Amino acid sequence: MNPRPSLGPAPLLATVPARALGRDPARLLKRAWDHASLYLPVILMGLLALGSYWIIGQSPAPAEPPAARAPVPGPGAVMQDFLLRDFGPDGQLLLKIEGVQLHHYPGAARLVVEQVRLQQRDAQGHLSFAQADRLESTTDRTVHRLSGNVVLLRPARAATATQAAVPEQEFRSQALTLYTQANRIESDQPVEIRRGTHLLRAQRMRYDQSTGQLELRGQVRATLAPPAQ
């Protein structure tokens, strides 16, 4: 007797066309690619975000802004045999400062001149001449502090139609302050004033050059010469 043929998977596979078997893997791959391509932009965006985060993490921190430097206490510049001139709009000399040595202090906005000689013309055009061991002046040259053997001379002025004659005036002190804009002279130390032939002494002084008003404070002494015959 012949054995009965086995009913395994072989007869079933035999019934499937070979061309169908060949196409199934490609179809599966295409279907998988179609599904993956739907999420590809999201995946790429995620990779870009991770890359950007990594680059930022590796970049050096921005440099801190430099702290503002404190003004340098010492002089910013030193000049020998210093000479400075200021001229008005009409070309007239308003101020001349010369000295043996100049120190410029930019932090304090001031100039210091040793062994100074100064010439100043006020708003009325009247001249003053001064000399001292030391001058401290603001950089805008509106305040001048003279110290050490200060001598300030204001030449005599002849009478005009509006003003009386003014004799020569000389101020001597260890400290005088000139205010150019206010046209004023002040001293908080003993001062000696020679006005023509008269001699005045005081502990403190304030002189308004515009009006000619002289204010003396403290112990005041005066030596008045008789008028000339």
Side-chain angles (χ1 to χ4, degrees):
M1 177 183 285
N2 295 326
R4 209 172 201 181
S6 174
L7 298 177
L12 181 61
L13 290 173
T15 61
V16 179
R19 297 170 67 184
L21 288 174
R23 282 200 305 264
D24 283 345
R27 188 178 299 170
L28 290 174
L29 288 174
K30 183 177 183 303
R31 188 174 299 172
W33 172 254
D34 291 340
H35 284 289
S37 63
L38 295 176
Y39 299 99
L40 184 60
V42 178
I43 295 171
L44 292 176
M45 292 295 292
L47 292 175
L48 289 174
L50 289 175
S52 300
Y53 180 78
W54 180 83
I55 291 173
I56 293 174
Q58 297 299 317
S59 301
E64 293 290 335
R69 293 185 178 181
V72 180
V78 178
M79 296 178 62
Q80 304 292 333
D81 298 324
F82 170 74
L83 175 61
L84 179 146
R85 292 187 179 97
D86 278 349
F87 295 90
D90 57 354
Q92 190 175 52
L93 179 64
L94 300 180
L95 178 69
K96 182 172 75 171
I97 301 175
E98 54 184 325
V100 173
Q101 191 175 70
L102 171 132
H103 304 270
H104 178 219
Y105 294 81
R110 65 189 178 101
L111 304 173
V112 176
V113 183
E114 307 292 343
Q115 301 300 317
V116 66
R117 294 178 301 278
L118 180 146
Q119 175 184 325
Q120 176 197 351
R121 188 182 300 274
D122 62 21
Q124 287 76 36
H126 304 144
L127 286 173
S128 297
F129 302 91
Q131 64 181 40
D133 294 341
R134 181 182 176 92
L135 166 71
E136 292 189 24
S137 177
T138 55
T139 52
D140 60 0
R141 296 183 286 284
T142 58
V143 180
H144 308 286
R145 293 181 176 87
L146 297 159
S147 59
N149 302 309
V150 182
V151 179
L152 173 66
L153 180 67
R154 289 176 58 85
R157 301 198 305 269
T160 64
T162 58
Q163 292 182 340
V166 177
E168 182 181 81
Q169 300 176 85
E170 182 181 274
F171 302 82
R172 290 180 178 268
S173 179
Q174 290 302 312
L176 281 178
T177 302
L178 311 181
Y179 299 90
T180 58
Q181 289 186 341
N183 205 19
R184 190 173 70 246
I185 304 173
E186 292 185 5
S187 177
D188 58 358
Q189 295 193 26
V191 61
E192 180 180 284
I193 305 165
R194 183 177 58 82
R195 182 181 173 90
T197 57
H198 304 318
L199 183 63
L200 306 171
R201 294 183 177 90
Q203 301 299 310
R204 296 181 300 279
M205 178 204 72
R206 177 187 174 103
Y207 178 58
D208 189 328
Q209 300 182 93
S210 300
T211 62
Q213 182 178 2
L214 175 64
E215 181 181 350
L216 302 176
R217 297 180 180 179
Q219 187 177 5
V220 179
R221 294 181 179 180
T223 302
L224 305 178
Q229 297 295 331

